[in-house]
Amino acid sequence: MHTSKRHLAGVAAVAVAMASVGALALPWSADKGASAPHWAYSGEAGPAHWAALDPSYSACGIGLAQSPIDLESHDAKPGKAGAFRIDYEKGDVALVNNGHTVQANVTDPNDAVVYDGDTYHLAQFHFHSPSEHTTDKTRFPLEIHFVNQDGAKHILVVGVMVKLGEENPSLAPVFHSLPPAAGHASASAGPPVSVDLASVLPKNHEAYVYRGSLTTPPCTEGVRWIVLAHPIQMSQAQVASFSTLFPDNHRPLQNVNGREIDDDPD
Ligand SMILES: [Zn+2]
């Protein structure tokens, strides 16, 4: 199994930045107050301006290990024994439209990813339209981010690409219940939605594994990314039910800056 390195610029600086990675606060749990600076996906509060909106967003501008990135298909690695294991099952989620995406908050403590002997529990998943990561420069209509956190608050995100195809029965309960506007949270306004997460993921867990960041402000680095190489399918109508609410909530591609796409823990 080969390891490919893409050297662009600033490799030494990247090494320093990655060595400084520490515990991360979950921004989406601390972010709910009116004090969180406004940001958007276009215009004067769009991605090119995120770093200038607030000092706490500086990583969005000066970070050297940012996400998303373009992934090259020859870098995909099998989800080999010992590298990582994704254990998601059926459970209830609470859907929230937070103005940037629809987020499904997960309460099942048994949903977890084991990576390098460390257990990360699933906190929430949410959607981006179109996809944020690309594969060989190809963008998908939708990308799902499963956000997991370990006991030391390190974040691991499992990314799943969605291509157009058959209706996805596993995700149908979620896409039938998408909250239409910010503040209309089914967490308080409606019943929880039951979803079988094990059957949402592709069977083949071949993946791109790399170190990156949150793709929304504050763009915090030190995030472990496992982007599954095999897309799942959803129908045009399902994708449209989300993209009607969020026509474009993707961050543009960021520089790789010499990072390795590899499943060896560092
Ligand atoms: Zn995301």
Side-chain angles (χ1 to χ4, degrees):
M1 203 176 301
H2 72 275
T3 293
S4 102
K5 292 185 180 182
R6 276 175 276 163
H7 295 277
L8 295 183
V11 173
V14 170
V16 171
M18 291 181 70
S20 66
V21 162
L24 304 175
L26 281 170
W28 48 87
S29 55
D31 211 13
K32 287 173 181 161
S35 60
H38 170 74
W39 58 271
Y41 283 102
S42 61
E44 292 185 353
H49 308 288
W50 285 352
L53 295 175
D54 190 86
S56 68
Y57 293 176
S58 64
C60 303
I62 63 171
L64 293 171
Q66 291 287 295
S67 296
I69 59 174
D70 179 56
L71 301 160
E72 297 177 1
S73 53
H74 61 82
D75 284 331
K77 305 293 195 302
K80 65 185 180 190
F84 63 86
R85 191 180 76 243
I86 303 171
D87 290 326
Y88 292 166
E89 45 193 64
K90 192 179 176 91
D92 288 346
V93 300
L95 300 176
V96 178
N97 182 329
N98 63 17
H100 302 298
T101 187
V102 172
Q103 179 173 311
N105 292 319
V106 177
T107 53
D108 183 350
N110 296 318
D111 288 318
V113 177
V114 177
Y115 179 90
D116 190 27
D118 194 7
T119 300
Y120 298 75
H121 291 281
L122 180 63
Q124 50 102 337
F125 61 92
H126 62 265
F127 308 93
H128 295 271
S129 172
S131 72
E132 299 205 294
H133 290 91
T134 57
T135 304
D136 298 330
K137 303 279 165 61
T138 299
R139 203 174 285 285
F140 290 81
L142 206 66
E143 180 173 345
I144 310 176
H145 288 161
F146 295 88
V147 181
N148 310 267
Q149 193 177 44
D150 74 1
K153 299 193 185 304
H154 299 121
I155 295 171
L156 181 155
V157 185
V158 176
V160 176
M161 299 297 177
V162 178
K163 66 177 182 181
L164 292 182
E166 311 257 303
E167 187 188 38
N168 189 312
S170 304
L171 285 169
V174 173
F175 281 75
H176 284 151
S177 309
L178 294 174
H184 290 211
S186 67
S188 54
V193 174
S194 177
V195 53
D196 184 2
L197 291 179
S199 68
V200 169
L201 301 181
K203 287 190 173 61
N204 186 326
H205 287 184
E206 192 175 36
Y208 307 94
V209 180
Y210 80 98
R211 286 275 203 177
S213 74
L214 302 179
T215 65
T216 55
C219 307
T220 314
E221 296 190 346
V223 173
R224 174 74 65 188
W225 278 92
I226 298 177
V227 180
L228 299 185
H230 295 266
I232 62 172
Q233 293 188 16
M234 290 181 57
S235 68
Q236 174 87 59
Q238 286 181 310
V239 170
S241 68
F242 181 82
S243 60
T244 299
L245 296 176
F246 296 96
D248 184 351
N249 67 340
H250 88 285
R251 185 190 192 192
L253 292 173
Q254 305 295 302
N255 288 328
V256 173
N257 290 331
R259 276 174 284 174
E260 286 186 30
I261 312 300
D262 194 5
D263 58 9
D264 292 328
D266 51 16

